[in-house]
PDB file of all heavy atoms in Angstrom:
ATOM      1  N   GLU A 176      97.957  74.683  79.527  1.00 54.00           N
ATOM      2  CA  GLU A 176      97.467  73.595  80.396  1.00 54.00           C
ATOM      3  C   GLU A 176      96.617  74.156  81.543  1.00 54.00           C
ATOM      4  O   GLU A 176      95.578  73.594  81.890  1.00 54.00           O
ATOM      5  CB  GLU A 176      98.680  72.835  80.968  1.00 54.00           C
ATOM      6  CG  GLU A 176      98.282  71.635  81.814  1.00 54.00           C
ATOM      7  CD  GLU A 176      99.502  70.927  82.367  1.00 54.00           C
ATOM      8  OE1 GLU A 176     100.625  71.222  81.932  1.00 54.00           O
ATOM      9  OE2 GLU A 176      99.323  70.072  83.260  1.00 54.00           O
ATOM     10  N   LYS A 177      97.074  75.277  82.102  1.00 52.00           N
ATOM     11  CA  LYS A 177      96.332  75.905  83.181  1.00 52.00           C
ATOM     12  C   LYS A 177      94.950  76.388  82.723  1.00 52.00           C
ATOM     13  O   LYS A 177      93.933  76.205  83.409  1.00 52.00           O
ATOM     14  CB  LYS A 177      97.140  77.098  83.708  1.00 52.00           C
ATOM     15  CG  LYS A 177      96.609  77.723  84.994  1.00 52.00           C
ATOM     16  CD  LYS A 177      97.547  78.818  85.461  1.00 52.00           C
ATOM     17  CE  LYS A 177      97.012  79.474  86.731  1.00 52.00           C
ATOM     18  NZ  LYS A 177      97.894  80.571  87.190  1.00 52.00           N
ATOM     19  N   LYS A 178      94.903  76.983  81.504  1.00 54.00           N
ATOM     20  CA  LYS A 178      93.638  77.458  80.942  1.00 54.00           C
ATOM     21  C   LYS A 178      92.694  76.272  80.696  1.00 54.00           C
ATOM     22  O   LYS A 178      91.486  76.372  80.936  1.00 54.00           O
ATOM     23  CB  LYS A 178      93.881  78.236  79.654  1.00 54.00           C
ATOM     24  CG  LYS A 178      94.466  79.626  79.877  1.00 54.00           C
ATOM     25  CD  LYS A 178      94.691  80.342  78.562  1.00 54.00           C
ATOM     26  CE  LYS A 178      95.289  81.727  78.813  1.00 54.00           C
ATOM     27  NZ  LYS A 178      95.556  82.434  77.527  1.00 54.00           N
ATOM     28  N   ASN A 179      93.265  75.176  80.166  1.00 55.00           N
ATOM     29  CA  ASN A 179      92.451  73.991  79.879  1.00 55.00           C
ATOM     30  C   ASN A 179      91.842  73.412  81.161  1.00 55.00           C
ATOM     31  O   ASN A 179      90.694  72.991  81.183  1.00 55.00           O
ATOM     32  CB  ASN A 179      93.280  72.940  79.175  1.00 55.00           C
ATOM     33  CG  ASN A 179      93.579  73.296  77.741  1.00 55.00           C
ATOM     34  OD1 ASN A 179      92.881  74.123  77.142  1.00 55.00           O
ATOM     35  ND2 ASN A 179      94.621  72.708  77.162  1.00 55.00           N
ATOM     36  N   LYS A 180      92.641  73.400  82.239  1.00 55.00           N
ATOM     37  CA  LYS A 180      92.149  72.916  83.528  1.00 55.00           C
ATOM     38  C   LYS A 180      91.008  73.787  84.012  1.00 55.00           C
ATOM     39  O   LYS A 180      90.016  73.300  84.570  1.00 55.00           O
ATOM     40  CB  LYS A 180      93.272  72.898  84.558  1.00 55.00           C
ATOM     41  CG  LYS A 180      94.226  71.725  84.414  1.00 55.00           C
ATOM     42  CD  LYS A 180      95.259  71.732  85.505  1.00 55.00           C
ATOM     43  CE  LYS A 180      96.198  70.525  85.389  1.00 55.00           C
ATOM     44  NZ  LYS A 180      97.227  70.536  86.461  1.00 55.00           N
ATOM     45  N   LYS A 181      91.173  75.108  83.821  1.00 52.00           N
ATOM     46  CA  LYS A 181      90.136  76.033  84.255  1.00 52.00           C
ATOM     47  C   LYS A 181      88.857  75.812  83.451  1.00 52.00           C
ATOM     48  O   LYS A 181      87.733  75.810  84.004  1.00 52.00           O
ATOM     49  CB  LYS A 181      90.621  77.473  84.066  1.00 52.00           C
ATOM     50  CG  LYS A 181      89.696  78.516  84.667  1.00 52.00           C
ATOM     51  CD  LYS A 181      90.312  79.902  84.557  1.00 52.00           C
ATOM     52  CE  LYS A 181      89.379  80.947  85.179  1.00 52.00           C
ATOM     53  NZ  LYS A 181      89.931  82.314  85.083  1.00 52.00           N
ATOM     54  N   LEU A 182      88.996  75.588  82.117  1.00 51.00           N
ATOM     55  CA  LEU A 182      87.839  75.336  81.285  1.00 51.00           C
ATOM     56  C   LEU A 182      87.130  74.041  81.681  1.00 51.00           C
ATOM     57  O   LEU A 182      85.916  73.981  81.729  1.00 51.00           O
ATOM     58  CB  LEU A 182      88.252  75.277  79.809  1.00 51.00           C
ATOM     59  CG  LEU A 182      88.647  76.618  79.158  1.00 51.00           C
ATOM     60  CD1 LEU A 182      89.199  76.399  77.765  1.00 51.00           C
ATOM     61  CD2 LEU A 182      87.449  77.563  79.133  1.00 51.00           C
ATOM     62  N   LYS A 183      87.951  73.022  81.988  1.00 54.00           N
ATOM     63  CA  LYS A 183      87.370  71.747  82.417  1.00 54.00           C
ATOM     64  C   LYS A 183      86.623  71.904  83.716  1.00 54.00           C
ATOM     65  O   LYS A 183      85.571  71.331  83.915  1.00 54.00           O
ATOM     66  CB  LYS A 183      88.489  70.695  82.581  1.00 54.00           C
ATOM     67  CG  LYS A 183      88.960  70.108  81.256  1.00 54.00           C
ATOM     68  CD  LYS A 183      89.981  69.018  81.491  1.00 54.00           C
ATOM     69  CE  LYS A 183      90.431  68.426  80.161  1.00 54.00           C
ATOM     70  NZ  LYS A 183      91.446  67.357  80.351  1.00 54.00           N
ATOM     71  N   SER A 184      87.187  72.724  84.586  1.00 49.00           N
ATOM     72  CA  SER A 184      86.542  72.962  85.878  1.00 49.00           C
ATOM     73  C   SER A 184      85.202  73.644  85.663  1.00 49.00           C
ATOM     74  O   SER A 184      84.184  73.265  86.257  1.00 49.00           O
ATOM     75  CB  SER A 184      87.442  73.825  86.746  1.00 49.00           C
ATOM     76  OG  SER A 184      86.801  74.181  87.938  1.00 49.00           O
ATOM     77  N   LEU A 185      85.179  74.644  84.795  1.00 51.00           N
ATOM     78  CA  LEU A 185      83.922  75.342  84.500  1.00 51.00           C
ATOM     79  C   LEU A 185      82.920  74.417  83.844  1.00 51.00           C
ATOM     80  O   LEU A 185      81.734  74.449  84.126  1.00 51.00           O
ATOM     81  CB  LEU A 185      84.219  76.551  83.585  1.00 51.00           C
ATOM     82  CG  LEU A 185      84.997  77.703  84.213  1.00 51.00           C
ATOM     83  CD1 LEU A 185      85.350  78.716  83.144  1.00 51.00           C
ATOM     84  CD2 LEU A 185      84.208  78.365  85.331  1.00 51.00           C
ATOM     85  N   GLU A 186      83.437  73.564  82.952  1.00 53.00           N
ATOM     86  CA  GLU A 186      82.570  72.630  82.250  1.00 53.00           C
ATOM     87  C   GLU A 186      81.923  71.653  83.248  1.00 53.00           C
ATOM     88  O   GLU A 186      80.753  71.347  83.186  1.00 53.00           O
ATOM     89  CB  GLU A 186      83.374  71.866  81.202  1.00 53.00           C
ATOM     90  CG  GLU A 186      82.549  70.930  80.356  1.00 53.00           C
ATOM     91  CD  GLU A 186      83.369  70.200  79.336  1.00 53.00           C
ATOM     92  OE1 GLU A 186      84.529  70.591  79.115  1.00 53.00           O
ATOM     93  OE2 GLU A 186      82.860  69.251  78.739  1.00 53.00           O
TER      94      GLU A 186
END
Side-chain angles (χ1 to χ4, degrees):
E176 184 181 348
K177 189 176 179 181
K178 286 180 181 178
N179 287 339
K180 282 184 178 179
K181 188 175 181 181
L182 287 174
K183 282 184 179 180
S184 174
L185 291 173
E186 184 179 347

